[in-house]
Amino acid sequence: MQKGIKRLEIAKQKLSSAYASLHVLHPRGLISATELDVRGKKEIIMQAGYPYENHTVTTQDGYILPLERIPNRGATNVVYFQHGLFDNSFAWVASGTSASLAFRTWDQGNDVFLGNFRGSFSYDHVDTTITSKAYWNFTMNEHAFQDLSAFIKQIHALKQEELGEDAPISLTVVSHSMGAATMLMYLTRWSMLQRPHGVNAAILLSPAGFHEKLPLWVRILASLFERVIAFLPWINSFRFPSNVIRMLTAKVVQDVKNTPATKDLMAYIVSKILGGDPTGHPFTDVHNVTYNIFAGTSRGVFQHFMQLLKSDKFTAFDYGPEGNMRHYGTPEPLDFAANYKHLDIPIHFLMGLQDMVIHPGDILKHYVTLHDVHPHLAFLKAFPASGHLDFTLGLNDHLISHILHLLPKTPQDPQESPLLPTPLQVLPTSPPPTTTTTTTHPA
């Protein structure tokens, strides 16, 4: 922790030197002297008046991941939030106390957990000598079967320790984009294997997985990028090369947003890429967003997405016939949608009709596939004016109210909630993933 703080201070000093150099090079100043907001999630949560805990969870394959918490220890209703691609748990607390889903969920009396995938500004591993190539050797499979599994097991272990093993804990998952896709992967695979997954209900915001209706220009760009990185085998990850570059980029974007004309232009461009209304677009209106998102991802995750794009199916990573036999027992990769019949909990699909990243038609495919086999478990809600970021950074009152309405109210009166949670599947009593806890309460 102290090393991380020291590295951040060094990065700030280097960034200050960079600012000074730019001002010397241009008398009018290419970058403003306005200080960049580099508050982390702990500072944001505590300054908003909420308690904070940080747990580090170790996966079976050795990755050490942050599981953050806005604790409400006496609550039996637990809500676990999981972010998507190039994102982290900042997305759930970024928009202030009234427009951030994590805060509003806690205000309703729930215990709130915020998961962070491997590579999301966290690069710790039990093997301290692990190479960059080895660390970044993962796909969406590992996010689903390693990260999510470890988070959910640890959440149950914490609640059972606090409330007792027989406490009627209800765990609802809220996940976005790739996080929603990997949640479907996890739930489907665990149900197929008849393993208890520990989830009572899932609320999936703009879930990835199917990409048949992705815009043509995105397909072309992705194909070109795939060809380029094929000639660059040493590139294992896609992220800012250093914290200095990350901070400098965030500062430039902040200065662009501070000028009305350029802010409007940026909002228009981002809305054309991600969807949503350019007026008050969350990318331009949420403070310090550039610094806190654009977390890293791996070459393998990109390759996995390309496989989904080319196949128009929602499958596990394709290792080739021999590799698939080792991983799945079949020559073909596991087809999740073809196995939705194994799902056993209510799943709500929420989609934005202005989403340019995950087309509504692709989300509809998830819903229809599940509804065909389990009509009582599949639910769909469309939001006409919402783009991709509107489900995390740009939530409006309508969206927030709908999501909060879906959460169970009290264990004693499940009929108040439209989720109709199934009886909790008790996880095995084997030792949970390794965890350490830092608890902080606002003064």
Side-chain angles (χ1 to χ4, degrees):
M1 182 68 178
Q2 293 299 323
K3 290 182 180 179
I5 295 174
K6 186 176 181 181
R7 287 198 296 268
L8 182 59
E9 291 300 324
I10 293 173
K12 288 181 178 179
Q13 293 173 8
K14 290 181 179 180
L15 186 59
S16 297
S17 299
Y19 292 166
S21 300
L22 287 170
H23 277 280
V24 169
L25 290 172
H26 196 301
R28 295 178 60 187
L30 296 177
I31 297 182
S32 76
T34 305
E35 187 176 351
L36 180 66
D37 184 353
V38 293
R39 290 178 302 155
K41 292 160 285 185
K42 175 182 176 180
E43 295 169 286
I44 292 171
I45 292 170
M46 291 191 64
Q47 288 175 13
Y50 292 79
Y52 174 87
E53 289 180 5
N54 181 46
H55 302 261
T56 53
V57 178
T58 303
T59 65
Q60 288 187 339
D61 56 350
Y63 287 75
I64 302 173
L65 310 177
L67 175 63
E68 294 164 296
R69 183 185 189 187
I70 307 177
N72 187 347
R73 290 187 185 82
T76 55
N77 288 336
V78 181
V79 182
Y80 158 46
F81 291 91
Q82 185 57 58
H83 65 80
L85 183 67
F86 286 118
D87 208 348
N88 64 88
S89 60
F90 169 80
W92 308 111
V93 299
S95 303
T97 56
S98 63
S100 294
L101 200 51
F103 293 139
R104 294 290 297 274
T105 301
W106 189 90
D107 291 341
Q108 192 167 283
N110 300 284
D111 199 354
V112 173
F113 288 85
L114 312 171
N116 292 273
F117 280 135
R118 59 186 68 191
S120 300
F121 297 138
S122 174
Y123 314 116
D124 294 328
H125 196 277
V126 294
D127 181 2
T128 56
T129 64
I130 191 171
T131 64
S132 176
K133 181 178 181 180
Y135 178 90
W136 291 99
N137 183 26
F138 59 83
T139 70
M140 289 171 62
N141 280 20
E142 284 67 38
H143 284 326
F145 308 145
Q146 293 285 341
D147 300 353
L148 296 185
S149 173
F151 287 146
I152 292 170
K153 182 172 287 189
Q154 184 56 42
I155 290 170
H156 278 283
L158 286 168
K159 295 304 294 183
Q160 289 171 358
E161 180 181 348
E162 293 168 355
L163 301 178
E165 293 186 2
D166 296 328
I169 300 168
S170 173
L171 176 61
T172 301
V173 171
V174 180
S175 51
H176 178 238
S177 195
M178 184 189 74
T182 54
M183 184 56 62
L184 282 169
M185 293 167 64
Y186 165 75
L187 292 171
T188 304
R189 185 59 170 164
W190 258 236
S191 297
M192 290 175 64
L193 296 173
Q194 297 184 336
R195 296 178 184 173
H197 50 65
V199 177
N200 289 80
I203 302 172
L204 307 183
L205 314 176
S206 190
F210 289 116
H211 301 278
E212 181 181 356
K213 298 184 182 299
L214 202 64
L216 179 61
W217 70 270
V218 178
R219 287 179 172 271
I220 294 173
L221 187 63
S223 180
L224 290 174
F225 186 65
E226 181 183 35
R227 294 183 182 183
V228 169
I229 66 171
F231 292 98
L232 305 172
W234 59 87
I235 295 180
N236 306 306
S237 63
F238 307 103
R239 54 183 174 132
F240 287 118
S242 70
N243 200 44
V244 174
I245 299 299
R246 172 189 169 196
M247 294 177 74
L248 187 58
T249 303
K251 186 64 178 69
V252 171
V253 173
Q254 175 180 293
D255 288 349
V256 169
K257 294 195 294 185
N258 286 341
T259 304
T262 52
K263 176 181 178 179
D264 292 343
L265 177 60
M266 176 178 284
Y268 176 79
I269 294 172
V270 173
S271 68
K272 291 301 179 183
I273 297 173
L274 301 178
D277 188 347
T279 304
H281 197 279
F283 185 83
T284 55
D285 277 13
V286 175
H287 200 44
N288 68 354
V289 63
T290 311
Y291 178 77
N292 281 289
I293 62 171
F294 299 116
T297 193
S298 72
R299 185 189 189 101
V301 169
F302 173 76
Q303 291 173 330
H304 199 162
F305 268 109
M306 288 303 299
Q307 291 177 0
L308 302 181
L309 193 62
K310 292 175 181 179
S311 68
D312 290 332
K313 294 182 178 180
F314 180 29
T315 63
F317 188 79
D318 188 349
Y319 296 97
E322 292 185 5
N324 291 337
M325 286 298 297
R326 290 194 302 270
H327 284 85
Y328 318 120
T330 60
E332 300 295 326
L334 179 64
D335 188 328
F336 296 106
N339 286 282
Y340 279 179
K341 61 180 177 290
H342 296 283
L343 293 174
D344 57 358
I345 61 170
I347 297 181
H348 287 249
F349 300 95
L350 276 60
M351 64 184 185
L353 299 187
Q354 291 190 20
D355 195 332
M356 299 296 290
V357 178
I358 310 295
H359 192 279
D362 290 327
I363 298 172
L364 186 63
K365 193 170 183 178
H366 282 296
Y367 166 74
V368 170
T369 304
L370 178 58
H371 188 271
D372 283 347
V373 291
H374 292 302
H376 61 294
L377 297 179
F379 303 88
L380 180 69
K381 178 71 173 180
F383 295 86
S386 295
H388 199 64
L389 291 184
D390 290 315
F391 288 101
T392 53
L393 300 175
L395 287 159
N396 56 37
D397 289 339
H398 185 202
L399 257 170
I400 293 175
S401 297
H402 181 74
I403 294 170
L404 294 180
H405 176 66
L406 296 178
L407 299 177
K409 301 300 183 293
T410 65
Q412 291 76 24
D413 189 10
Q415 295 300 325
E416 292 185 23
S417 170
L419 285 177
L420 299 177
T422 57
L424 178 65
Q425 296 172 298
V426 179
L427 294 178
T429 57
S430 58
T434 304
T435 179
T436 59
T437 306
T438 302
T439 304
T440 313
H441 295 274

